Amino acid sequence: MILVTGGAGFIGSNFVLDWLAAHDEPVVNLDKLTYAGNLRSLAGLAGDARHVFVRGDIGDADAVGALLERHRPRAIVNLAAETHVDRSIRSPRAFVDANVVGTFTLLECVRTWWQTLPAGERAAFRFLHVSTDEVYGSLGLADPAFSEATPFAPNSPYAASKAASDHLVRAWHHTYGLPTLTTNCSNNYGPRQFPEKLIPLMIVNALAGKPLPVYGDGQNVRDWLYVGDHCSAIRAVLARGRPGETYNVGGNAETRNIDVVRTLCRLLAARVPGRDFTAQVTFVADRPGHDRRYAIDATKIRGELGWAPAETFESGMAKAVDWYLGNGDWLASVQSEEYRRWIDLQYA
């Protein structure tokens, strides 16, 4: 059995679904069910005995300790996190609580429990921490891509909180011997993503006839990674990664934000005839401290573990658009009154 934290969120729910599609090994899924956690994303597992959902917080030491004692997982995949840069700018304390204090509490619970295991189980155990390329800071257009040796230089409260969590994971390996693994991924997209992030937000607004807000001049560059490819990378690192190591995961798809939006407009127009979605594109005031470019050098994971993304930017985007168009009930269910107020405030 493996324990997945944050398994009702975007990447977490996709990982749990992909894991159980490929393995019979059960999953204990611990999620706090904040605004970004949604059990509807896991509806396909209803009645599946291999999936045990527990509502709880990685910052609750008693709850985490009880889960470890009861289920005795052979591995933990830590996906629990606050992840939206814009929210971190408005409410940074929540990111420190979840990403720094929460990760510390989880690590301490795991370390205490892990040290009681028989020698063979201790050696086989893995703690995989999922992080972001934003810990590395911002690149110029001509700079080489981020490698695992790139110094950390986080520029947002979100990125700083994730950098701190990465440092904690590294320290718990080097100080206590906990067999940890860390992945730093580029921008994920695909099914089940909460629609405050760029791609699902553009789809929601486009279909509703609302403006498609693009920060600044739209020239900010990101390396886009289809979530299914990210899930396969996590599985590869969990199975074959070397304890104490970090692996960068990228999609080989550097694209300007404005081109992401234009691609979405084109894909939507092909599926919803008679609509000119590009007319809805609206440039808005830039995000404070907006990083100009991220890019991932995935040489290490490709060379050591044989992983590479299966989707191109075009094929992944087409899959994402088709999923959202085919899952209107899911989209409607996550657009709460709180969500609508937040979007109105953010892009006023």
Side-chain angles (χ1 to χ4, degrees), residues 171-192:
W172 261 240
H173 171 72
H174 284 275
T175 301
Y176 303 113
L178 188 68
T180 64
L181 301 152
T182 297
T183 58
N184 293 90
C185 69
S186 57
N187 278 39
N188 277 222
Y189 70 98
R192 305 174 186 88

Side-chain angles (χ1 to χ4, degrees), residues 10-290:
F10 164 46
I11 299 172
S13 62
N14 279 281
F15 178 78
V16 169
L17 290 165
D18 281 7
W19 179 270
L20 292 176
H23 301 268
D24 285 328
E25 185 175 13
V27 172
V28 176
N29 183 349
L30 176 67
D31 196 290
K32 191 177 179 180
L33 293 183
T34 61
Y35 66 93
N38 187 356
L39 286 179
R40 290 180 68 108
S41 298
L42 299 163
L45 298 178
D48 191 328
R50 299 174 301 162
H51 179 241
V52 177
F53 179 78
V54 179
R55 184 170 187 174
D57 186 349
I58 61 170
D60 183 340
D62 291 339
V64 172
L67 272 183
L68 295 172
E69 291 291 345
R70 179 179 179 184
H71 296 287
R72 300 180 66 83
R74 70 167 182 89
I76 294 172
V77 179
N78 181 34
L79 286 150
E82 288 279 354
T83 65
H84 195 125
V85 173
D86 290 335
R87 285 186 183 258
S88 81
I89 293 169
R90 291 188 178 275
S91 304
R93 176 59 182 267
F95 287 71
V96 174
D97 289 343
N99 299 346
V100 184
V101 180
T103 301
F104 162 76
T105 304
L106 178 63
L107 283 166
E108 274 295 85
C109 289
V110 171
R111 177 177 73 89
T112 300
W113 170 77
W114 169 77
Q115 289 175 332
T116 70
L117 297 177
E121 291 182 38
R122 282 203 310 276
F125 179 80
R126 296 291 183 269
F127 181 100
L128 195 161
H129 175 66
V130 178
S131 190
T132 173
D133 59 358
E134 297 193 35
V135 301
Y136 298 123
S138 183
L139 293 169
L141 293 180
D143 290 339
F146 300 133
S147 75
E148 292 81 359
T150 301
F152 281 15
N155 291 321
S156 71
Y158 161 61
S161 69
K162 288 300 289 184
S165 70
D166 292 9
H167 286 314
L168 289 171
V169 172
R170 174 184 172 87
W172 261 240
H173 171 72
H174 284 275
T175 301
Y176 303 113
L178 188 68
T180 64
L181 301 152
T182 297
T183 58
N184 293 90
C185 69
S186 57
N187 278 39
N188 277 222
Y189 70 98
R192 305 174 186 88
Q193 188 171 29
F194 191 66
E196 64 183 8
K197 296 297 182 79
L198 178 64
I199 289 173
L201 175 63
M202 294 301 111
I203 294 172
V204 167
N205 281 13
L207 295 175
K210 296 180 178 180
L212 306 182
V214 177
Y215 281 136
D217 60 6
Q219 301 300 305
N220 302 75
V221 175
R222 300 294 182 262
D223 176 12
W224 292 94
L225 174 67
Y226 186 69
V227 68
D229 284 331
H230 187 195
C231 292
S232 71
I234 294 172
R235 293 198 304 272
V237 172
L238 187 61
R240 303 187 297 279
R242 292 180 289 133
E245 292 295 315
T246 294
Y247 296 89
N248 281 355
V249 184
N252 292 333
E254 281 189 63
T255 309
R256 299 180 305 168
N257 285 351
I258 187 60
D259 293 328
V260 172
V261 175
R262 288 169 177 161
T263 299
L264 284 169
C265 290
R266 173 172 53 80
L267 291 170
L268 286 168
R271 291 155 173 79
V272 187
R275 296 279 299 275
D276 178 15
F277 295 105
T278 59
Q280 297 168 228
V281 174
T282 304
F283 291 94
V284 299
D286 206 356
R287 166 193 288 165
H290 199 179

